[in-house]
Amino acid sequence: MLTSVKIQRRQSEIRQALAPLVANDNPSEDETRQIETLDLEFRQNETRYRAALIAEDEERREAGAELETRGEREYADLVAGFEMRQVARYLDEGRQLEGRTAEVVQELRSANGYRGVPVPWQALELRAGETVSTGTPDPMQTRPIIDRLFPDSVAGRMGASMINIGSGSVEWPVATAGASVGWQSSETGNVASPSAYATTDHALSPDHTLGVQMRITRKALKQSGEALEQAVRRDMNAAIAVEMDRVVFLGSGADGEPLGVITGAATYGITNTDIGAAPDWAAFRSAVLRFMLANSATGPAGVRLMLRPEVWDATDDLITGLAISEWDRIAAKIGNTVLTTNALAAPSGDPAESVGLLTTSAGGVAPIFVGTWGAVDMIRDPFSDAQSGGLRITALATMDVTVARASQLEIISGIQ
């Protein structure tokens, strides 16, 4: 208990003791001495109380911060102990969920409706220390908030921010116009006229649901717990990450897919520069310069570049008379270079041409938002693999994609 609280309680006791003594019109000598003693103690306690408040100020601030973050940390601790093997055995054998896994599932069910077993997005991350053998697993990696679903995915490396939404649609207002500045031209003149603070809303809507089907054999179900735990998480992680990387950039916006960044460049207002030539550092330097002129980046170190492996192959030959290649110059200047065959379409045409994408984060705002709703809904199919004793489950995940500011992205096409 804090010292200030103890002093407050003692002050209340003194007041209660003084009340009947003061009400007596003819107090005895003992009562008078008691009044003087209590009055002296009360005044001394007032001084001690003020000193205690000063000393406990920092403790109170720390306690307040602890209360503000305790809920998120407690839930993160619960999710850290979520076991995918319990979900698989619940769907296969009907075995009841236990421990922290049961608490997380109950918490998710209270927030949304699910046909099957809800699985939090954090549980799909590959955890450090879990082995396929019978070794004892080490403590898993815990993330405080949902920021990146799969940090090693292309979308994550290109700066996409993962936003988990409980229900409904979410709009992200991004400022497009604001304060104006100007000097007073004369002693009696006015400064610059004010301009309206304007924002543009970028919405994420739960209109796109991805389905992932998994087959777990009877042998896998009977293996050791760590093996099944890692296998289920690894398969779901890979399946969702690969498709997420594809639709974030190449989603068609039709047939249930979100509209990807490259496919929907015109819709999002993203600049598309056709170089129509072999790739070199000069072409990418011009794109970085446009970022800097638009105040989206302070230099090439803050830019991320995504290319096809064929571009790396075409630029890794040594420059005539030099001991470096064009690729060496690109990789040395650009902050983060990502090669992918999944998030970019294969080169086509004659000569074969590819596409590249540059992104940057400005003012703490990610260039791409990827919204996920609730948790992954895992539903059992009891009939498809019944003859072999296997388990087939379908995982449903709702996602959407939007762009924060078009000026934070640029497409380079015509890379021959």
Side-chain angles (χ1 to χ4, degrees), residues 364-378:
V365 178
I368 306 168
F369 289 151
V370 180
T372 59
W373 273 261
V376 178
D377 195 359
M378 295 190 67

Side-chain angles (χ1 to χ4, degrees), residues 82 91 205 292 296 327 374:
F82 191 93
L91 295 173
S205 301
M292 297 173 67
S296 297
W327 179 256

Side-chain angles (χ1 to χ4, degrees), residues 42-379:
F42 188 89
R43 285 187 279 109
Q44 290 175 343
N45 285 345
E46 285 296 307
T47 304
R48 293 179 58 219
Y49 178 70
R50 289 193 297 271
L53 288 179
I54 295 173
E56 295 166 359
D57 181 63
E58 184 176 352
E59 297 180 29
R60 292 177 184 274
R61 284 198 301 267
E62 292 178 355
E66 170 75 12
L67 291 174
E68 290 177 1
T69 59
R70 181 178 298 171
E72 292 182 359
R73 288 190 293 102
E74 287 180 350
Y75 182 72
D77 292 340
L78 285 177
V79 174
F82 191 93
E83 295 180 342
M84 294 292 294
R85 58 180 177 267
Q86 285 199 39
V87 176
R89 287 169 177 164
Y90 171 82
L91 295 173
D92 180 56
E93 307 169 4
R95 182 180 297 184
Q96 292 300 312
L97 303 176
E98 301 174 350
R100 287 186 282 185
T101 303
E103 292 184 49
V104 172
V105 170
Q106 184 178 2
E107 182 75 16
L108 293 172
R109 286 192 187 280
S110 65
N112 290 284
Y114 299 93
R115 290 186 57 194
V117 180
V119 176
W121 287 96
Q122 300 97 315
L124 299 184
E125 293 179 346
L126 297 179
R127 297 173 179 174
E130 294 183 356
T131 61
V132 179
S133 64
T134 57
T136 303
D138 296 328
M140 62 199 68
Q141 187 176 7
T142 304
R143 303 179 190 276
I145 59 174
I146 301 176
D147 184 28
R148 303 274 176 82
L149 175 58
F150 306 114
D152 293 332
S153 71
V154 174
R157 295 177 63 187
M158 290 301 290
S161 180
M162 309 300 300
I163 309 298
N164 188 255
I165 304 167
S167 61
S169 300
V170 174
E171 290 186 340
W172 295 88
V174 178
T176 56
S180 61
V181 296
W183 294 96
Q184 186 181 25
S185 59
S186 63
E187 183 178 355
T188 58
N190 295 327
V191 296
S193 300
S195 61
Y197 185 85
T199 61
T200 299
D201 293 335
H202 298 267
L204 290 168
S205 301
D207 299 327
H208 312 284
T209 298
L210 171 67
V212 179
Q213 289 192 333
M214 298 179 57
R215 296 181 62 186
I216 305 176
T217 64
R218 183 174 179 81
K219 178 181 179 180
L221 289 168
K222 303 305 178 185
Q223 284 180 335
S224 61
E226 289 80 6
L228 180 60
E229 178 79 15
Q230 187 72 343
V232 173
R233 185 179 292 112
R234 182 174 59 248
D235 288 347
M236 288 196 66
N237 177 292
I240 295 179
V242 168
E243 184 60 15
M244 181 190 69
D245 281 341
R246 188 188 70 82
V247 299
V248 166
F249 302 102
L250 300 177
S252 64
D255 300 326
E257 293 183 1
L259 182 61
V261 170
I262 295 177
T263 309
T267 302
Y268 293 124
I270 301 172
T271 300
N272 188 338
T273 302
D274 189 345
I275 63 173
D280 56 14
W281 165 237
F284 299 108
R285 183 181 60 204
S286 299
V288 174
L289 175 61
R290 287 188 287 271
F291 273 157
M292 297 173 67
L293 293 176
N295 296 321
S296 297
T298 57
V303 177
R304 299 177 178 89
L305 173 63
M306 182 173 67
L307 296 169
R308 291 275 307 187
E310 292 87 348
V311 178
W312 162 77
D313 181 61
T315 57
D316 203 31
D317 292 329
L318 295 180
I319 302 172
T320 303
L322 298 177
I324 62 173
S325 64
E326 290 290 348
W327 179 256
D328 293 331
R329 299 173 67 185
I330 295 171
K333 299 292 185 179
I334 298 295
N336 191 347
T337 306
V338 181
L339 297 178
T340 176
T341 58
N342 181 47
L344 291 174
S348 59
D350 188 17
E353 294 185 344
S354 181
V355 174
L357 176 69
L358 291 96
T359 68
T360 184
S361 299
V365 178
I368 306 168
F369 289 151
V370 180
T372 59
W373 273 261
V376 178
D377 195 359
M378 295 190 67
I379 305 171

